[in-house]
Amino acid sequence: MKLLHVDSSINGANSVSRKLTKDVVAQWLRENPDTQVEYLDLSVETPSHFSSDAMGFRLPPSDAALSEAQQRENALSETLVSQFLAADVIVIGAPLYNFAIPSQLKAWIDRLAQAGRTFKYTENGPVGLAGGKTIIAALSRGGIYSTSEAGQAMEHQESYLKTVFGFFGVTDIRIVRAEGTDMGPDNRSKAFETAETCIKAVATRSFEAETEAA
């Protein structure tokens, strides 16, 4: 089994989402000690943002008209999508920045969204090609968004991740939230306690079967 551990926070050692992903991976390894882990830090290895050159992967690789920039961007996209497709489990740290995910994380996802690799178009609509994977998204939020309709409408973090990976065909998407971390020490402590309990549940291969049985 292969696990891809992805962090995107710019806050280094002070990052809540990095703590969450570290704990998720540690819990997963306790349950599955033979898992191979690969690490990707998007705040350090940030893919260049999507551009016309980065659209080169939509052209035939042998096309002599590809510029050096397109070939370079093609190679980066191929590396990232191959890494993603090779993983059985992907643990993603996603802080909430201005109601959405970090641009570093969005740049990575833009490289994964490749027709013929992670999805395809058919006469009946798009079909995901990356099914059979487990996504564990570790979300950090300074405020509280999950407990009200107004809050849920404002966040484009969890909703976006579920949408895009669902579009890729992933049906096993598990969420860990630590929210309200900037709303005083009591709320912060409660956020970590809630997240810790959630991590023990989601970071196990039997999570889906257990929740269905319940």
Side-chain angles (χ1 to χ4, degrees):
M1 179 179 294
K2 294 183 178 180
L3 183 152
L4 177 60
H5 176 181
V6 181
D7 277 325
S8 62
S9 170
I10 61 175
N11 289 327
N14 295 320
S15 166
V16 173
S17 66
R18 286 176 182 271
K19 179 185 185 314
L20 298 181
T21 60
K22 182 179 178 181
D23 291 348
V24 169
V25 173
Q27 180 66 30
W28 188 275
L29 290 176
R30 280 192 286 271
E31 297 272 344
N32 308 278
D34 295 331
T35 301
Q36 300 175 32
V37 178
E38 190 168 2
Y39 183 61
L40 177 61
D41 189 339
L42 294 172
S43 73
V44 177
E45 300 177 76
T46 306
S48 53
H49 287 166
F50 219 41
S51 66
S52 57
D53 288 331
M55 293 292 285
F57 63 72
R58 296 195 177 206
L59 302 174
S62 59
D63 192 332
L66 288 179
S67 67
E68 287 187 13
Q70 287 175 315
Q71 292 177 40
R72 183 174 61 252
E73 295 294 334
N74 266 13
L76 174 59
S77 296
E78 176 59 30
T79 296
L80 293 175
V81 76
S82 295
Q83 182 185 49
F84 172 77
L85 291 172
D88 303 293
V89 182
I90 301 95
V91 177
I92 301 171
L96 183 71
Y97 290 168
N98 301 316
F99 308 109
I101 62 173
S103 61
Q104 293 89 340
L105 181 56
K106 178 63 164 59
W108 176 67
I109 292 172
D110 285 340
R111 301 302 182 131
L112 305 183
Q114 297 188 32
R117 304 301 297 280
T118 51
F119 71 95
K120 65 179 179 180
Y121 290 113
T122 73
E123 59 184 15
N124 297 317
V127 175
L129 301 177
K133 300 182 183 300
T134 295
I135 300 283
I136 304 176
L139 313 178
S140 61
R141 302 169 177 175
I144 296 176
Y145 295 84
S146 67
T147 58
S148 69
E149 289 187 7
Q152 292 166 12
M154 290 173 67
E155 71 84 11
H156 305 286
Q157 171 201 42
E158 179 176 340
S159 56
Y160 172 73
L161 293 175
K162 285 181 175 178
T163 297
V164 72
F165 288 112
F167 184 81
F168 293 168
V170 181
T171 58
D172 186 6
I173 302 175
R174 312 176 187 184
I175 302 296
V176 176
R177 298 190 203 98
E179 57 180 353
T181 58
D182 293 339
M183 297 175 64
D186 289 344
N187 278 313
R188 186 177 181 86
S189 178
K190 183 179 179 180
F192 281 118
E193 289 176 7
T194 301
E196 183 179 354
T197 299
C198 188
I199 286 170
K200 290 178 181 178
V202 304
T204 172
R205 293 180 67 180
S206 60
F207 171 79
E208 190 172 9
E210 288 174 355
T211 54
E212 288 177 355

